[in-house]
Short mmCIF file of all heavy atoms in Angstrom, two decimals:
data_model
loop_
_atom_site.label_atom_id
_atom_site.label_comp_id
_atom_site.label_asym_id
_atom_site.label_seq_id
_atom_site.Cartn_x
_atom_site.Cartn_y
_atom_site.Cartn_z
N PHE A 209 -33.74 3.96 -42.01
CA PHE A 209 -32.68 3.52 -42.94
C PHE A 209 -31.55 2.70 -42.01
O PHE A 209 -31.21 1.60 -42.38
CB PHE A 209 -32.05 4.66 -43.70
CG PHE A 209 -31.09 4.24 -44.69
CD1 PHE A 209 -31.52 4.15 -45.95
CD2 PHE A 209 -29.75 3.94 -44.37
CE1 PHE A 209 -30.63 3.78 -47.02
CE2 PHE A 209 -28.88 3.56 -45.41
CZ PHE A 209 -29.32 3.45 -46.80
N LEU A 213 -30.77 -1.27 -42.12
CA LEU A 213 -29.47 -1.70 -42.42
C LEU A 213 -28.89 -2.73 -41.40
O LEU A 213 -28.42 -3.78 -41.63
CB LEU A 213 -28.47 -0.54 -42.65
CG LEU A 213 -27.06 -0.92 -42.81
CD1 LEU A 213 -26.83 -1.83 -44.05
CD2 LEU A 213 -26.22 0.45 -43.11
N ASN A 305 -34.43 -0.73 -48.14
CA ASN A 305 -34.10 0.73 -48.14
C ASN A 305 -34.22 1.45 -49.37
O ASN A 305 -33.93 2.66 -49.43
CB ASN A 305 -32.68 0.83 -47.57
CG ASN A 305 -32.59 0.82 -46.14
OD1 ASN A 305 -33.59 1.22 -45.50
ND2 ASN A 305 -31.47 0.52 -45.57
N TYR A 598 -14.05 3.66 -53.69
CA TYR A 598 -14.32 4.80 -53.03
C TYR A 598 -14.80 5.90 -53.99
O TYR A 598 -15.95 6.50 -53.64
CB TYR A 598 -13.05 5.40 -52.27
CG TYR A 598 -13.21 6.73 -51.76
CD1 TYR A 598 -13.76 6.99 -50.55
CD2 TYR A 598 -12.78 7.88 -52.49
CE1 TYR A 598 -13.94 8.17 -50.12
CE2 TYR A 598 -12.95 9.11 -52.04
CZ TYR A 598 -13.56 9.28 -50.89
OH TYR A 598 -13.77 10.62 -50.41
N ALA A 600 -16.38 5.60 -56.86
CA ALA A 600 -17.66 5.22 -57.25
C ALA A 600 -18.74 5.62 -56.26
O ALA A 600 -19.81 6.19 -56.65
CB ALA A 600 -17.79 3.71 -57.64
N ALA A 601 -18.45 5.34 -54.99
CA ALA A 601 -19.46 5.72 -54.00
C ALA A 601 -19.49 7.17 -53.81
O ALA A 601 -20.69 7.74 -53.69
CB ALA A 601 -18.99 5.09 -52.65
N SER A 602 -18.42 7.88 -53.99
CA SER A 602 -18.43 9.45 -53.92
C SER A 602 -19.21 9.98 -55.06
O SER A 602 -20.05 10.99 -54.74
CB SER A 602 -17.01 10.02 -53.95
OG SER A 602 -16.28 9.49 -52.93
N LEU A 603 -19.14 9.40 -56.21
CA LEU A 603 -19.84 9.96 -57.35
C LEU A 603 -21.44 9.67 -57.17
O LEU A 603 -22.25 10.44 -57.50
CB LEU A 603 -19.30 9.42 -58.57
CG LEU A 603 -18.00 10.01 -59.04
CD1 LEU A 603 -17.21 9.12 -60.02
CD2 LEU A 603 -18.21 11.36 -59.67
N LEU A 604 -21.65 8.46 -56.57
CA LEU A 604 -23.08 8.07 -56.37
C LEU A 604 -23.65 9.06 -55.33
O LEU A 604 -24.80 9.56 -55.52
CB LEU A 604 -23.07 6.67 -55.78
CG LEU A 604 -24.48 5.99 -55.60
CD1 LEU A 604 -25.19 5.92 -56.86
CD2 LEU A 604 -24.25 4.54 -55.08
N ASP A 605 -22.96 9.39 -54.27
CA ASP A 605 -23.33 10.39 -53.32
C ASP A 605 -23.72 11.66 -54.03
O ASP A 605 -24.80 12.24 -53.83
CB ASP A 605 -22.23 10.47 -52.34
CG ASP A 605 -22.49 11.80 -51.40
OD1 ASP A 605 -23.57 12.10 -51.13
OD2 ASP A 605 -21.42 12.35 -50.83
N MET A 606 -22.82 12.12 -54.92
CA MET A 606 -23.01 13.42 -55.55
C MET A 606 -24.25 13.30 -56.50
O MET A 606 -25.04 14.25 -56.53
CB MET A 606 -21.86 13.83 -56.39
CG MET A 606 -20.62 14.24 -55.54
SD MET A 606 -21.05 15.57 -54.34
CE MET A 606 -21.39 16.91 -55.39
N TRP A 608 -26.91 11.42 -56.22
CA TRP A 608 -28.10 11.40 -55.41
C TRP A 608 -28.52 12.89 -54.99
O TRP A 608 -29.68 13.17 -54.77
CB TRP A 608 -27.96 10.61 -54.13
CG TRP A 608 -28.29 9.15 -54.37
CD1 TRP A 608 -27.31 8.02 -54.24
CD2 TRP A 608 -29.60 8.50 -54.60
NE1 TRP A 608 -28.05 6.93 -54.49
CE2 TRP A 608 -29.43 7.14 -54.69
CE3 TRP A 608 -30.86 9.00 -54.86
CZ2 TRP A 608 -30.40 6.19 -54.89
CZ3 TRP A 608 -31.92 8.14 -55.08
CH2 TRP A 608 -31.73 6.75 -55.17
N PRO A 639 -19.40 -0.38 -55.77
CA PRO A 639 -19.01 0.90 -55.09
C PRO A 639 -18.78 0.60 -53.56
O PRO A 639 -19.35 -0.40 -53.06
CB PRO A 639 -20.19 1.84 -55.20
CG PRO A 639 -21.31 1.02 -55.87
CD PRO A 639 -20.74 -0.20 -56.35
N ARG A 640 -18.01 1.33 -52.98
CA ARG A 640 -17.66 1.04 -51.53
C ARG A 640 -19.01 0.93 -50.67
O ARG A 640 -19.14 0.03 -49.84
CB ARG A 640 -16.81 2.27 -50.94
CG ARG A 640 -16.64 2.26 -49.48
CD ARG A 640 -15.39 1.35 -49.10
NE ARG A 640 -15.19 1.31 -47.68
CZ ARG A 640 -14.34 0.36 -47.16
NH1 ARG A 640 -13.61 -0.41 -47.95
NH2 ARG A 640 -14.11 0.36 -45.88
N TYR A 641 -19.99 1.70 -51.07
CA TYR A 641 -21.26 1.55 -50.48
C TYR A 641 -22.34 1.64 -51.56
O TYR A 641 -22.32 2.62 -52.38
CB TYR A 641 -21.63 2.65 -49.41
CG TYR A 641 -20.69 2.56 -48.35
CD1 TYR A 641 -19.59 3.42 -48.21
CD2 TYR A 641 -20.89 1.70 -47.21
CE1 TYR A 641 -18.70 3.44 -47.16
CE2 TYR A 641 -19.98 1.69 -46.17
CZ TYR A 641 -18.89 2.48 -46.19
OH TYR A 641 -17.99 2.46 -45.20
N ARG A 642 -23.14 0.53 -51.76
CA ARG A 642 -24.32 0.75 -52.56
C ARG A 642 -25.42 1.62 -51.86
O ARG A 642 -25.42 1.75 -50.70
CB ARG A 642 -24.99 -0.64 -52.99
CG ARG A 642 -23.95 -1.47 -53.94
CD ARG A 642 -24.74 -2.63 -54.41
NE ARG A 642 -26.01 -2.37 -55.08
CZ ARG A 642 -27.16 -2.89 -55.00
NH1 ARG A 642 -27.25 -3.94 -54.16
NH2 ARG A 642 -28.19 -2.52 -55.58
N SER A 643 -26.29 2.17 -52.64
CA SER A 643 -27.30 3.02 -52.18
C SER A 643 -28.10 2.51 -50.99
O SER A 643 -28.25 3.17 -49.89
CB SER A 643 -28.41 3.48 -53.23
OG SER A 643 -27.63 3.94 -54.31
N THR A 644 -28.39 1.25 -50.96
CA THR A 644 -29.29 0.58 -49.87
C THR A 644 -28.48 0.48 -48.60
O THR A 644 -29.09 0.10 -47.58
CB THR A 644 -29.93 -0.68 -50.38
OG1 THR A 644 -28.92 -1.54 -50.87
CG2 THR A 644 -30.94 -0.41 -51.48
N TYR A 645 -27.12 0.53 -48.61
CA TYR A 645 -26.46 0.49 -47.34
C TYR A 645 -25.44 1.69 -47.24
O TYR A 645 -24.42 1.54 -46.43
CB TYR A 645 -25.87 -0.86 -47.14
CG TYR A 645 -24.97 -1.46 -48.12
CD1 TYR A 645 -23.56 -1.14 -48.18
CD2 TYR A 645 -25.48 -2.34 -49.10
CE1 TYR A 645 -22.76 -1.64 -49.20
CE2 TYR A 645 -24.62 -2.96 -50.10
CZ TYR A 645 -23.36 -2.61 -50.11
OH TYR A 645 -22.51 -3.16 -51.00
N PHE A 646 -25.76 2.78 -47.90
CA PHE A 646 -24.81 3.90 -47.74
C PHE A 646 -25.26 4.77 -46.62
O PHE A 646 -25.79 5.91 -46.68
CB PHE A 646 -24.97 4.72 -49.06
CG PHE A 646 -23.77 5.50 -49.51
CD1 PHE A 646 -23.47 5.86 -50.80
CD2 PHE A 646 -22.77 5.90 -48.46
CE1 PHE A 646 -22.34 6.64 -51.12
CE2 PHE A 646 -21.57 6.66 -48.80
CZ PHE A 646 -21.47 6.96 -50.13
N ALA A 647 -24.90 4.27 -45.38
CA ALA A 647 -25.28 4.83 -44.21
C ALA A 647 -24.77 6.30 -44.03
O ALA A 647 -25.39 7.20 -43.40
CB ALA A 647 -25.05 4.01 -42.99
N HIS A 648 -23.53 6.52 -44.55
CA HIS A 648 -22.85 7.83 -44.40
C HIS A 648 -23.86 8.93 -44.88
O HIS A 648 -23.92 9.95 -44.29
CB HIS A 648 -21.63 7.92 -45.30
CG HIS A 648 -20.43 7.31 -44.75
ND1 HIS A 648 -20.23 5.87 -44.75
CD2 HIS A 648 -19.37 7.81 -44.15
CE1 HIS A 648 -19.12 5.60 -44.23
NE2 HIS A 648 -18.53 6.73 -43.82
N ILE A 649 -24.48 8.56 -46.11
CA ILE A 649 -25.21 9.81 -46.61
C ILE A 649 -26.73 9.66 -46.32
O ILE A 649 -27.43 10.69 -46.38
CB ILE A 649 -24.99 9.78 -48.24
CG1 ILE A 649 -25.53 8.56 -48.94
CG2 ILE A 649 -23.45 9.95 -48.47
CD1 ILE A 649 -25.63 8.67 -50.46
N PHE A 650 -27.25 8.43 -46.11
CA PHE A 650 -28.56 8.37 -45.78
C PHE A 650 -29.02 8.34 -44.31
O PHE A 650 -30.11 8.43 -43.81
CB PHE A 650 -29.33 7.21 -46.59
CG PHE A 650 -29.30 7.44 -48.06
CD1 PHE A 650 -28.68 6.56 -48.91
CD2 PHE A 650 -30.03 8.52 -48.48
CE1 PHE A 650 -28.77 6.77 -50.31
CE2 PHE A 650 -30.00 8.75 -49.87
CZ PHE A 650 -29.36 7.91 -50.81
N SER A 651 -28.04 8.00 -43.43
CA SER A 651 -28.38 8.08 -42.07
C SER A 651 -27.28 8.70 -41.23
O SER A 651 -27.30 8.81 -40.00
CB SER A 651 -28.81 6.74 -41.46
OG SER A 651 -27.73 5.92 -41.28
N GLY A 652 -26.22 9.20 -41.93
CA GLY A 652 -25.10 9.80 -41.17
C GLY A 652 -25.08 11.28 -41.61
O GLY A 652 -26.00 11.75 -42.29
N TYR A 654 -22.94 12.68 -43.83
CA TYR A 654 -22.01 12.90 -44.92
C TYR A 654 -22.67 13.15 -46.32
O TYR A 654 -21.97 12.95 -47.29
CB TYR A 654 -21.02 11.67 -45.00
CG TYR A 654 -19.83 11.83 -44.02
CD1 TYR A 654 -19.91 11.55 -42.79
CD2 TYR A 654 -18.69 12.46 -44.55
CE1 TYR A 654 -18.80 11.72 -41.92
CE2 TYR A 654 -17.59 12.66 -43.79
CZ TYR A 654 -17.66 12.25 -42.39
OH TYR A 654 -16.56 12.49 -41.56
N TYR A 658 -19.10 12.74 -48.92
CA TYR A 658 -18.22 11.55 -48.78
C TYR A 658 -16.96 11.81 -49.62
O TYR A 658 -15.88 11.24 -49.31
CB TYR A 658 -19.02 10.40 -49.48
CG TYR A 658 -18.37 9.06 -49.17
CD1 TYR A 658 -18.21 8.70 -47.83
CD2 TYR A 658 -17.91 8.17 -50.12
CE1 TYR A 658 -17.57 7.49 -47.53
CE2 TYR A 658 -17.31 7.04 -49.86
CZ TYR A 658 -17.06 6.67 -48.55
OH TYR A 658 -16.40 5.52 -48.34
#
Side-chain angles (χ1 to χ4, degrees):
Chain A
F209 187 99
L213 175 54
N305 272 338
Y598 169 82
S602 300
L603 285 158
L604 186 58
D605 167 30
M606 290 307 293
W608 274 114
R640 175 86 182 164
Y641 299 97
R642 287 190 58 221
S643 309
T644 52
Y645 53 86
F646 208 157
H648 282 79
I649 65 168
F650 290 120
S651 77
Y654 273 85
Y658 192 60

